Each structure stands twice: as structure tokens, then as C-alpha cells.
Amino acid sequence: MTMRKADLLIRNVLIAENGPAFDIAIEAGKISAIGPQLKCEAITEHDGEGLFAFAGFVDSHIHLDKACILDRCTICEGTLAEAVRETSRAKEGFDEEDVYRRAARVVEKAIVSGTNRMRTFVEVDPRAGLRSFEAIKRIRRDYAFAIDIEICAFAQEGLTGEPDTLALLQAALRDGADLIGGCPYTDRDPVAHVRQVFDLAQVHGTAVDFHLDFDLDPDHTSLPAVIDETVARGYQGRVSIGHVTNLSAMAPERVLEIASLLGNAGVALTVLPVTDLFLTGRDADRLVPRGLAPAHLLARHGVTTSVATNNVLNPFTPFGDVSLMRMANLYANVAQLSRREDIEAVFGMVGARAAALMRQPHGLATGAPADIVLLDCEGPVDAVRTVGKAVRGWKDGKQTFENGRPRLLRP
Ligand SMILES: [Zn+2]
């Protein structure tokens, strides 16, 4: 029998919670074998030190274009309206280099935190023109060695009352945007907004992603419009919605009804914990509502759900380290989860489930791209509970970051 050959052999990693130690062989950028104690002749061997290996974090919803702008914004009320207003004003001053520099900072932090895929929204409208879009296209190209970035051309500030935005979205979709994003709650005609976004998506053959129902009013919703259009146009599996914070204000029975509507229509949902927690419930002076859609309940009933970063250091969220591990922990904590299966599901919401939302494969398997991240923990549940630190990672078999493991220096 000839000895198996490999470019790289990562020895001694866990691939399941407290599972046995496995080795991963990599050849030509793909995983060529996974198993215990592989007999293999590799050009490079790497000791995985018993760390947990998985396919990397997937950020299904982030805004690179408006990250890191606290230096030019004021936050007095901490409301959604103020965030949109302040960002709109700042956006007029964005130039391509400025957007590139801020986005690069965020993407580099994401990579060293173990993220190797993301969907970024980029606002294209008369205020931003296509400047942010051009910068983010350069980011996508320059960081492709470490992360796959999907660009969602986004109408943050309305569409039906602003024909120029429509033309700019079309230009972006013709020139490299991967999909289109809408925001019915800022449009004077939310239903027409939903239709226009779907029209554009159909013409260009792309998926759609909406910012939706970002308040705590259970009776005010654009969900029926999104679900109706999804089904009418045969768009099942290509639609996602973010926030939907008013689900947190509904009775559990109603949430389950909506779960079955979303599941049947193939509409996926993303929770953005840091922004939802920061902006909602501002009229409460005590017992401030959490305002988080119960993604774990929806997931139990067949809805594809993810947890994502959304905003970093801007009026929507004046915090952020771009760590999806921290985000998963924050969600699980605020949602008061304790059962292993719920916590494991949350790990999926920043990994495999988030990839499913983006219709991308994810997982360590023979023949899959060698996209591998090692976390300092015993598996998915331990990762969420302890905020497992990303130690090092590879994309297509090439190492892309190294954080090292913390070491105690005894006297
Ligand atoms: Zn967003």
C-alpha cells in the first residue's frame, strides 16, 4: 500500500464536542482525508494541540461601509431614527479611501477572529453614490485570500421616493454586487418598496435581504408583504430578513405561527444582538425590553436563522470587536439558554446555519475546501459558553492568521 501524500497535515484536533482526536490532511487546497491517526506523508505537519476544528465563522449581516465612524457622529437619543439620520449625514462625506481604510480595519479583525465568509451591506444612494461600493469591491478582492465577501447593494433610506437610488442600485447590480437589500421601514410606502426590491432581484437573478420590522410593535409588520412576494415569485430559499425585533413583543403562539409561515416560504432570519439591544426599548426608563427575535425558537421550527455582527462603532452600535464567538455568547446569554441542544444551535447560527442562509456549503468533509479554524475549546457548546478564542486558521489550505494560545508564565 502506498503512503497517502498531503501538502499539509493538521494532527490532533477535535471535530465534535469532547470527541476523539482526528487528523486532517489537505492537498491542493482541499481536505483530502479526515480520520484518527492518518497514515500520511505531508510536506508540512501542524500540531493541533487538541483544539476544536471547524469550518470557520460566517457573518451573514455586517455593514463595512459605515463602520468606525464614531469620530464624526453624535449619539444623544440612541434611537434608530437618530442612527439613520447621523449616518446619513456622515455618509455624504465618505470618500473611497476613507471607506476602504475603515472597512479594512474591520475585515482584518474579523479574519483574526475566525470569520472566513461574510455578507456586507453597502449603501448606494444619492448621498454615498457608488463610492462606498467601489471601496468595498476593492476590499473583497484584496482580502479574498482569507475571506469570501458577498456584497449586498442596499437601499437604507428608502427607494420609492428616490428614483436616483433605484438607478444606483441597478448600476451596482450590473457591476459586481451579489444581491440586493431593502429596508421597508424607512420607506414611505413599505409594500411598494418590497416589490421594487424583488423586481430588481428578479431582473438580475439575485437573492434579496431585507432589514425588517425594527421596532417593538407586534401589529406593525412588513412580513406579509415579504412572504407573499417570496411565494408569488418562487423565491423560496433566496430571501432573508434581519432584526424583526417585534417578534420579541409577540405571544409565543403567534411566534410559532410566524415560524411556520417563514419556514414554508423559505425565508431565513438574522438576529443582530448588539444593535437590537442598543436601539430598542429607548422609551422605557426601567425593565428595558431585550428586543431580540427568538432565533432559537424559530430554528426549532425549521426556520434558517443566523446571528450576526451588523454594526461596528457607529450610531447604530457604538461597540464592536467583530467577534462572532462573542456574538453567539451574547445571544445565548440574553435569550437565557441553558440546554446543550439550544446552545449548539446558536453555534450553528454563526457557522453552518449562517452559511445555509447565504446558500453556501460549510463543514469539514473530504473534498471540501480546506477552510479550517481552530478554537481553544472542547466543541461547539463549550465554545459558546466560554467564548472560545480563535487560535489560528487556514483558507484553501493556506494559513491566514495566528493568534497563539495564551500562556501562563510561572515564576
Ligand atoms: Zn443591518
Side-chain angles (χ1 to χ4, degrees), residues 61-63 66 121 154 156 211 243 272 310-311:
H61 184 135
I62 189 168
H63 297 260
K66 57 185 177 191
F121 291 79
F154 179 45
Q156 164 78 74
H211 286 57
H243 298 296
L272 296 317
N310 199 29
N311 283 293

Side-chain angles (χ1 to χ4, degrees), residues 213 215-221 245-251 254 258:
D213 295 355
D215 56 48
L216 297 176
D217 179 357
D219 299 316
H220 169 255
T221 174
T245 47
N246 63 359
L247 284 171
S248 70
M250 292 180 195
R254 181 130 177 251
I258 290 173

Side-chain angles (χ1 to χ4, degrees), residues 66 69 72-73 84-95 98 102 127 131 315:
K66 57 185 177 191
I69 54 168
R72 56 195 97 168
C73 294
V84 172
R85 204 168 60 231
E86 279 294 303
T87 306
S88 176
R89 194 179 48 73
K91 186 161 62 174
E92 301 199 39
F94 290 180
D95 67 37
D98 163 49
R102 291 184 285 101
R127 290 152 296 285
R131 302 187 303 280

